[in-house]
Amino acid sequence: MITKQQYVEYLICTIGNYTGSNLAEHLDEVSHDVITDYLMNERHTPRSLWELVSRLIQDSPEAFLLLDDSVQDKRYSRFIELVKLQYSGAEHGLVRGIGVVNLVHSAGKENDFYPIDYRIYAPDQDGKTKNDHFSDMVRNAIYAKKLQAKRILFDSWYASAENLKLVHRLGLTFFTTLKSNRMVSLSKEGGWIHLDEIDWTEERLKNGVLVKLKEVPFKVQLFKVVATDGDIDWVITNCPDETLTTQAAQDANDVRWQVEELHRELKQLTGTEKCQCRKGRSQRNHIACCYHAWLSLKVKAKKLGKTLYQTKNDLWSDYLRVELASPRILAFSPA
């Protein structure tokens, strides 16, 4: 028999190899079949993640909700359930993988963040789109979790008219980006124009401009954010603060990169992509345990004042010191 605690602790301490076979080789009296049965028969859900993090988050009206998706790369897998061809931002193209939509709670740019909900993108199984998961998780955060956070951040993929209207109805302030081909209107007389066609005066570059989006019944403030390398982000918000500047909008939107940090750490430190089980339930349970492993590293890293990478690497640093002090395998030398 194997427990969730044992499986999570394995994900925390192993390096590179996250397979059931490797775990069975290193855990006494536990076979590969026992691990396979565990992953197939348990039912870990996003609710268990919320139960773990609910007391850790620093919730307030000034907190943020961050929403984005990630693809668990399974390009070499042909027989794993839940795997489908989908766009990966990391690869800038289509890959075969398992999609996960994440909702993260953040106390701010320089403060703690924690995943509070996630959904497996499996339209062939449940018929739900990523936008359906967006709606479900945001509603759940407000009505079920009763979070106080009033600001929500997401990228242009989720900036559809329906999502913007939903967030606005829920009383949340969104900061998101527009794709460069989105059309806006400054006035009824002016009609619909391209973002680049706006007369970006010095005043508008500093404080943005009020615009109308198609099928959105309220106006939004549009900001042209120019990076040092010349790249442009078109940031919009329904924030009622008329004194909001481009710099303030950019600072708020930058908090969204914490969810990218979560995606990277989940993959590199807990092996979300590495499970080789074929059954969808096994993949779901493995991913759920990976969130638990990430949270365990996060709590320990915060206590030590280190990064999650340093905290995990310290496990192997201790091993290396012991081996160097008294090597079990000595350097070969001719007799």
Side-chain angles (χ1 to χ4, degrees):
M1 180 178 178
I2 184 173
T3 65
K4 183 184 181 184
Q5 179 178 341
Q6 288 174 306
Y7 191 81
V8 169
E9 289 171 349
Y10 166 68
L11 296 177
I12 293 170
C13 66
T14 188
I15 299 291
N17 191 338
Y18 295 88
T19 63
S21 300
N22 187 49
L23 172 55
E25 290 176 5
H26 294 87
L27 191 61
D28 293 340
E29 299 181 2
V30 173
S31 67
H32 179 266
D33 288 344
V34 168
I35 298 166
T36 300
D37 289 344
Y38 166 78
L39 290 174
M40 284 182 59
N41 296 320
E42 290 296 315
R43 191 173 182 83
H44 302 312
T45 67
R47 182 186 296 274
S48 62
L49 174 64
W50 171 244
E51 291 171 353
L52 291 169
V53 303
S54 58
R55 297 182 181 181
L56 300 177
I57 62 173
Q58 303 171 44
D59 192 31
S60 74
E62 283 66 51
F64 295 85
L65 297 175
L66 322 176
L67 193 141
D68 200 3
D69 58 81
S70 174
V71 177
Q72 312 310 306
D73 194 331
K74 303 283 188 179
R75 68 182 71 192
Y76 302 113
S77 304
R78 292 291 178 268
F79 305 104
I80 295 179
E81 296 175 2
L82 304 179
V83 171
K84 69 188 308 298
L85 192 66
Q86 52 195 299
Y87 180 81
S88 168
E91 297 295 328
H92 304 290
L94 295 175
V95 299
R96 286 177 54 79
I98 298 175
V100 183
V101 187
N102 285 297
L103 184 64
V104 173
H105 183 284
S106 169
K109 189 173 182 179
E110 304 299 330
N111 295 300
D112 278 343
F113 63 90
Y114 295 93
I116 59 172
D117 203 351
Y118 68 90
R119 296 289 187 274
I120 304 297
Y121 173 54
D124 296 336
Q125 282 73 33
D126 59 24
K128 291 192 174 185
T129 67
K130 290 182 181 179
N131 284 319
D132 290 332
H133 292 311
F134 176 102
S135 176
D136 290 346
M137 289 195 292
V138 173
R139 292 176 186 275
N140 184 271
I142 301 302
Y143 297 129
K145 296 182 173 66
K146 301 188 182 303
L147 293 176
Q148 301 178 54
K150 291 299 181 183
R151 293 178 286 184
I152 183 168
L153 314 177
F154 44 91
D155 66 14
S156 60
W157 202 96
Y158 291 96
S160 66
E162 288 304 313
N163 286 344
L164 297 181
K165 288 187 287 187
L166 169 66
V167 170
H168 193 72
R169 286 197 304 271
L170 292 174
L172 299 177
T173 298
F174 60 74
F175 289 86
T176 185
T177 53
L178 294 180
K179 293 182 179 179
S180 58
N181 61 355
R182 199 80 171 253
M183 304 293 284
V184 299
S185 175
L186 276 68
S187 65
K188 290 183 179 179
E189 299 75 22
W192 300 103
I193 62 174
H194 193 273
L195 298 172
D196 280 336
E197 295 180 275
I198 297 175
D199 180 15
W200 285 100
T201 63
E202 184 176 343
E203 171 64 20
R204 286 175 173 174
L205 286 173
K206 180 180 179 181
N207 297 307
V209 59
L210 202 62
V211 301
K212 181 79 167 57
L213 298 175
K214 284 187 177 180
E215 301 180 2
V216 177
F218 51 88
K219 290 188 175 182
V220 298
Q221 195 76 4
L222 170 68
F223 301 92
K224 182 179 182 180
V225 178
V226 183
T228 53
D229 61 1
D231 286 350
I232 296 174
D233 277 336
W234 305 99
V235 178
I236 59 168
T237 180
N238 62 336
C239 179
D241 185 358
E242 297 180 356
T243 65
L244 189 70
T245 65
T246 299
Q247 184 61 56
Q250 180 181 0
D251 290 344
N253 189 57
D254 283 348
V255 178
R256 183 169 56 85
W257 293 107
Q258 289 178 336
V259 74
E260 299 292 345
E261 186 176 338
L262 170 70
H263 292 165
R264 184 173 63 253
E265 291 170 346
L266 278 169
K267 291 179 179 181
Q268 296 179 358
L269 299 178
T270 74
T272 51
E273 298 178 315
K274 302 302 184 181
C275 180
Q276 298 176 1
C277 295
R278 294 186 177 186
K279 293 297 183 181
R281 172 47 53 192
S282 300
Q283 291 289 336
R284 289 177 184 271
N285 284 330
H286 171 77
I287 290 172
C289 288
C290 287
Y291 281 96
H292 195 157
W294 180 92
L295 181 61
S296 303
L297 284 167
K298 174 84 169 184
V299 171
K300 186 66 173 181
K302 183 178 179 182
K303 182 177 180 180
L304 296 175
K306 296 182 177 182
T307 68
L308 274 70
Y309 290 93
Q310 291 170 331
T311 302
K312 180 153 185 172
N313 287 338
D314 281 352
L315 299 175
W316 290 87
S317 294
D318 293 341
Y319 157 78
L320 184 58
R321 290 189 183 94
V322 171
E323 283 298 309
L324 290 175
S326 182
R328 286 176 289 179
I329 300 176
L330 301 175
F332 171 76
S333 61

